[in-house]
Structures are given as structure tokens and as C-alpha cells.
Amino acid sequence: QVQLQESGPGLVKPSETLSLTCAVSGYSISSGYYWGWIRQPPGKGLEWIGSIHYSGNTYYNPSLKSRVTISVDTSKNQFSLKVNSVTAADTAVYYCARSRSMSHYDALHIWGQGTMVTVSS
Amino acid sequence: DIVMTQSPDSLAVSLGERATINCKSSQSVLYSSNNKNYVAWYQQKPGQPPKLLIYWTSTRESGVPDRFSGSGSGTDFTLTISSLQAEDVAVYYCQQYYSTFPTFGQGTKLEIK
């Protein structure tokens, strides 16, 4: 059974870098699929941040692209998210998820439980 | 960006009755080469991650009750719950994955009347 688990600091100061990791169990990232990040501000809807393939191919939300980096570490079977120069608007629950098929152009099938990140001094 | 607009924002339906949620995309999400509409529906209950219900507009994910159905094509899509159960109380989101930048609708909150 494939499981995803997000981890990282729950509190980040404004202007600093938010860093999260998604650990994958039950499946090898280097076997395929796209692995993505989605966030949800408190009481609001879902915003897709970006996704990555183990080969390094990435897709990003154009509105976040200048501040976001998604990377993969196949040796640890995990992928990561970095968001630079954060503000209060980046406060959200951050989810990692896997695509339903090997294609980027597919639904998000398996989700982590999410981790709350608050941006505050 | 492809904007997904759901209606209504909230909906109250009696147990056993039909619930219908609509989703409109700002441009067609029908890919002509495979005749597939790149739309999914998710259910999110409080404190939980979204759960995939339907993909390719109308294909139910494994284990999803058959009271959930999806339909539509081009720019107009619908999620229907044929007979509302108490456990269906949730927020429902549509999503397009036609473009390199997937987008979600704003969500529809479904409650019991």
C-alpha cells in the first residue's frame, strides 16, 4: 500500500524559506508516476503548486514558479518542496500527492495527510 | 490558466435525495486525440486530505459507491449523488488536468437539510 507522509517545520518566519519533505512508502519513486505538492490556506480551496518525475521533469504553478523548487531524492525515496521569501499568504496545509497514472496529465490519486505551515514572526 | 467555477458554493439536501454540483471550465478540457475530458472530482471531509472520487469526467475510483456519478463534456461538468447519505457531508472540488498547470474549482460545501 502506497503511503505519503509530509514533514517539516510548522512555523516559518516571513522572508525565510519553507522546506517540506514527502516520504514515500510502499512504492519506489524511481519506478515512475508524478509526485506533487498542493496547498490549502485555512478555510479555503486547493491550490496546485507543482509536480516532479523521478527523471527530474518538473511542472510548476506559474504564479509560484519564481519562488518554488521541487526536487526528488530517489536514494531516500522522498521528494521535497522549497518556497522562498514566504509571507503570511503562504500559510496553509501542504499536501503531497501522487498522480493516478504515469502521466502528469492525470488526477491525483494518493494523498498524504497534510502538514500545517504557519508563516509568522 | 484554466479557471474552474463551481456552482453552487453550498448546497443543503435531504437524506435520500439527489445532490447535483456543477463545474464550468473557462476553456474546453476535451482532448480531441483521445476524446477524453480531463476532469476529476474530489471529496474532502474536515481534517482530511481530498479523496479522489471520479476521473476522466465519469470513471469512478475503485471503492467509490455507485451513487456518485460524473458527467459532462467540453466546458460543463456535473457531479451527482443519487441518494444522499449522512457520510457524504463534505466539500467537493472539481479539477482540470488538461493543462500543464492543473486547477481546482473553489469547492462546494454539501450539507444535510
Side-chain angles (χ1 to χ4, degrees), chain B:
Chain B
D1 304 358
I2 298 178
V3 177
M4 304 295 280
T5 304
Q6 292 181 227
S7 62
D9 290 334
S10 63
L11 180 62
V13 174
S14 300
L15 289 173
E17 295 300 304
R18 179 186 299 263
T20 301
I21 299 170
N22 299 301
C23 179
K24 189 174 185 67
S25 57
S26 59
Q27 66 185 73
S28 176
V29 293
L30 171 62
Y31 192 39
S32 56
S33 67
N34 60 12
N35 202 36
K36 287 186 173 182
N37 288 279
Y38 284 49
V39 169
W41 289 92
Y42 299 84
Q43 175 193 65
Q44 186 178 32
K45 297 181 179 180
Q48 296 184 18
K51 172 188 175 184
L52 177 62
L53 294 177
I54 287 172
Y55 55 95
W56 298 130
T57 298
S58 60
T59 303
R60 264 190 309 276
E61 174 64 8
S62 175
V64 173
D66 61 5
R67 64 180 181 273
F68 291 90
S69 64
S71 62
S73 186
T75 61
D76 293 282
F77 302 91
T78 300
L79 174 70
T80 301
I81 307 172
S82 60
S83 177
L84 189 70
Q85 305 299 303
E87 61 265 32
D88 300 336
V89 169
V91 178
Y92 292 84
Y93 295 93
C94 61
Q95 180 214 9
Q96 66 77 20
Y97 46 93
Y98 178 89
S99 73
T100 58
F101 167 30
T103 51
F104 294 90
Q106 79 277 17
T108 295
K109 186 174 184 179
L110 178 58
E111 299 173 312
I112 304 294
K113 185 187 290 184

Side-chain angles (χ1 to χ4, degrees), chain A residues 35-78:
Chain A
W35 307 86
W37 291 96
I38 304 93
R39 69 182 183 180
Q40 185 171 36
K44 295 189 178 180
L46 301 164
E47 180 179 36
W48 182 84
I49 299 171
S51 68
I52 190 166
H53 187 264
Y54 79 92
S55 62
N57 192 34
T58 54
Y59 295 90
Y60 291 115
N61 182 327
S63 69
L64 297 170
K65 187 174 183 177
S66 63
R67 297 194 296 127
V68 168
T69 302
I70 297 175
S71 59
V72 65
D73 185 338
T74 54
S75 66
K76 295 183 178 179
N77 212 39
Q78 65 188 32

Side-chain angles (χ1 to χ4, degrees), chain A residues 1 3 7 9-10 12 17 30 45 47 53 61-62 69 71 74 83 94 103 107 119:
Chain A
Q1 182 182 357
Q3 292 185 315
S7 62
V12 181
T17 297
S30 48
E47 180 179 36
H53 187 264
N61 182 327
T69 302
S71 59
T74 54
V83 182
Y94 285 75
S103 172
V119 178

Side-chain angles (χ1 to χ4, degrees), chain A residues 15-30:
Chain A
S15 80
E16 295 190 345
T17 297
L18 179 161
S19 296
L20 297 174
T21 296
C22 182
V24 179
S25 58
Y27 188 83
S28 172
I29 282 182
S30 48

